[in-house]
Amino acid sequence: MISSQTEVGDLVYIPSQVLLTDYKTFIKTDKPINAVYLGKKSIEAQVFYNGSSWWVNKDKIYNVRGQNGC
């Protein structure tokens, strides 16, 4: 799960078999991916992946940066 310290522009990890949506279409990741974090709503996070903006359950994505900032 992303932390409260996740900032716009941070890289996030999305495991395989996670649904992403733009509210018109859905895609399911067939392998783990990295995406750029764009922000969040109450239960969703917006990410930039493969040239488009997508929404994903924020409990399904993880920070790439370690807790020590590396």
Side-chain angles (χ1 to χ4, degrees), residues 1 3-4 11 14-15 17 21 23 25-26 28 34 38-39 42-43 46 53 55-57 59 62 67 69:
M1 175 180 0
S3 73
S4 60
L11 197 61
I14 304 173
Q17 304 303 307
T21 184
Y23 296 114
T25 58
F26 290 88
K28 185 183 276 190
N34 287 318
L38 299 177
S42 59
I43 62 170
Q46 188 176 25
S53 176
W55 290 95
V56 60
N57 183 316
D59 292 338
Y62 303 89
Q67 290 187 8

